[in-house]
Amino acid sequence: METANTPERKKVIFSAIQPSGTITLGNYVGALRNWVGLQDDYDCIFALADLHTITVRQDPAKFRKNALEAYALLLACGIDLDKSLFFIQSHVHTHAELAWLLNCYTQFGELSRMTQFKDKSQKHADNVNVGLFAYPSLMAADILAYQADMVPVGLDQKQHLELTRNIAERFNGIYGQTFKVPDPYIPKVGAKIMSLQDPTRKMSKSDENVNSYVALLDKPDDIMRKFKRAITDSDAQVRYGEGKDGINNLMGIYSVMTGKTNEEIEREFDGKGYGDFKLAVGEAVVDHLRPIQEEFTRLIGDKAYLEQCYTKSAETALRISQRTLDKAMKKVGFVKRAF
Ligand code: TYM
């Protein structure tokens, strides 16, 4: 129990991102910037969810390169290993083991209702594999293994988080308190950054149209071009409102980049056209990403350092998650391993 003399235990945060190619401004605004901001106040555990990535076929050499680059990029974004853990999911075998256990407490019907499964199985109709189906119970294992209190994600992960809670409650209901039931942490602004080419759809790194997303490693000229070409409407007034998906999206991005409220943005661009606004958004993003890109270039050249970082974090993560796995296995009734 906490007493006046013992320092209060910090709450635990867990989150992860897939290294499935380009990391986008959507990932950054919806999730990564919050990861960075939460590090002082929480015990943060972050992972590169590479086991999730093979639910879609990967080219081995590209997959390896993407994972290392994503690792370096997240460090460049501000993940601080003096405060947080940041490891590669496949290096910590407890995730896959706990996922198997949780698969047996997850219903076929529940997984069938996941909208991401429905979307992805349409998109990859030639490879609707069992891993794609069971993806959310691996996600539940990631989170529950660390007894996480909170999970900072974008809006698209909300349904998976609800399922995670249901699985944890079901298991606890059968065996007694085993897993902490986690809460989602979804930002008020920027929880769903939309495509620059179709603002009714989510900005996604797997979009075939490169103009629809901004990658964190895009060159300044490309970023400016993408914002100049962003689809808006014919109203021509920088105002937040219904039917103005494109402008609402740009205002969300600008607000996160500059810290300005919608009212301040409307005032700043009063009497100015969309052209001026798009330029300002592009410039704000370029300025924000510049130091991140510079740090990335430095880090990606130092593979030995990266290896040291992800190995050290994985060792600690394994120790923490093994405790939860052992506890869950004991409750289910497995014979205790004696080694
Ligand atoms: P992933 O890799 O698709 O995305 C990483 C994070 O970025 C958020 N995000 C967005 N936020 C706002 N606007 C967008 N357009 C946008 N696109 C992506 C996502 O919500 C996510 O927070 N299954 C997860 C990875 C994962 C995970 C976990 C997350 C594996 N295990 C455990 C949390 C906890 C995924 O594919 O995210």
Side-chain angles (χ1 to χ4, degrees):
M1 230 182 75
E2 311 281 2
T3 68
N5 296 327
T6 50
E8 217 177 284
R9 188 183 74 88
K10 281 186 184 170
K11 290 201 168 187
V12 177
I13 293 260
F14 180 90
S15 201
I17 183 169
Q18 288 195 62
S20 50
T22 333
I23 293 186
T24 70
L25 191 63
N27 297 128
Y28 183 77
V29 171
L32 302 180
R33 69 177 166 113
N34 288 327
W35 298 13
V36 171
L38 291 163
Q39 296 180 103
D40 282 329
D41 299 326
Y42 296 87
D43 273 339
C44 290
I45 304 172
F46 302 121
L48 212 54
D50 58 345
L51 294 174
H52 282 94
T53 306
I54 62 160
T55 54
V56 173
R57 198 71 71 234
Q58 302 292 321
D59 169 78
K62 250 195 234 156
F63 179 37
R64 199 173 295 120
K65 181 167 180 282
N66 284 343
L68 268 184
E69 288 188 355
Y71 192 87
L73 184 53
L74 263 72
L75 290 187
C77 284
I79 295 205
D80 180 349
L81 296 179
D82 288 334
K83 299 177 188 158
S84 308
L85 296 181
F86 178 38
F87 61 92
I88 299 178
Q89 185 190 32
S90 62
H91 293 181
V92 183
H93 59 79
T94 42
H95 288 239
E97 290 170 36
L98 184 59
W100 173 255
L101 214 77
L102 298 183
N103 272 334
C104 303
Y105 299 84
T106 307
Q107 298 303 301
F108 187 89
E110 288 176 308
L111 291 176
S112 311
R113 284 193 290 278
M114 294 294 114
T115 52
Q116 194 166 317
F117 171 67
K118 291 188 214 162
D119 291 349
K120 284 204 177 169
S121 40
Q122 255 179 15
K123 208 161 158 208
H124 304 280
D126 57 336
N127 183 21
V128 185
N129 59 74
V130 176
L132 192 63
F133 187 66
Y135 177 117
S137 40
L138 175 58
M139 218 175 122
D142 298 339
I143 299 164
L144 301 181
Y146 299 94
Q147 307 287 351
D149 294 280
M150 239 165 47
V151 185
V153 282
L155 200 56
D156 62 335
Q157 296 300 324
K158 190 165 176 242
Q159 196 185 28
H160 291 158
L161 256 278
E162 278 158 9
L163 178 65
T164 300
R165 290 172 57 88
N166 290 342
I167 296 172
E169 277 165 0
R170 180 172 307 141
F171 195 100
N172 290 347
I174 302 171
Y175 300 108
Q177 182 59 36
T178 310
F179 299 119
K180 180 105 208 177
V181 180
D183 288 315
Y185 178 99
I186 297 175
K188 285 205 175 67
V189 181
K192 193 172 185 187
I193 296 299
M194 310 310 273
S195 155
L196 298 181
Q197 289 298 307
D198 176 358
T200 61
R201 286 178 29 206
K202 180 183 87 163
M203 180 182 282
S204 164
K205 53 192 159 201
S206 56
D207 202 312
E208 271 148 31
N209 182 352
V210 294
N211 286 322
S212 72
Y213 60 81
V214 170
L216 295 194
L217 294 175
D218 271 350
K219 295 198 174 65
D221 286 352
D222 292 328
I223 296 175
M224 293 307 292
R225 188 194 70 242
K226 290 178 183 185
F227 279 109
K228 278 186 208 157
R229 286 195 190 165
I231 301 292
T232 45
D233 54 66
S234 54
D235 180 34
Q237 265 194 63
V238 179
R239 254 188 321 111
Y240 194 91
E242 215 162 296
K244 292 171 68 74
D245 297 328
I247 286 296
N248 294 347
N249 191 38
L250 294 180
M251 286 178 77
I253 295 171
Y254 193 63
S255 167
V256 167
M257 294 295 128
T258 60
K260 293 177 185 166
T261 63
N262 280 347
E263 294 71 43
E264 285 167 338
I265 299 171
E266 287 172 2
R267 242 178 285 130
E268 184 179 348
F269 292 94
D270 190 25
K272 295 188 185 148
Y274 283 173
D276 287 337
F277 180 50
K278 287 180 187 179
L279 277 184
V281 182
E283 277 163 11
V285 170
V286 168
D287 285 347
H288 193 91
L289 294 184
R290 188 174 298 114
I292 294 176
Q293 295 187 347
E294 284 169 4
E295 181 64 358
F296 168 79
T297 307
R298 195 183 69 76
L299 286 167
I300 198 63
D302 195 348
K303 300 283 188 308
Y305 173 70
L306 295 177
E307 184 182 300
Q308 204 186 316
C309 293
Y310 57 70
T311 303
K312 195 159 169 256
S313 274
E315 284 165 359
T316 311
L318 179 60
R319 239 185 304 115
I320 301 172
S321 56
Q322 187 75 60
R323 282 204 295 268
T324 303
L325 178 63
D326 288 349
K327 181 172 165 191
M329 289 182 76
K330 184 173 174 203
K331 297 237 176 171
V332 172
F334 286 100
V335 175
K336 192 172 186 298
R337 109 187 102 75
F339 55 90

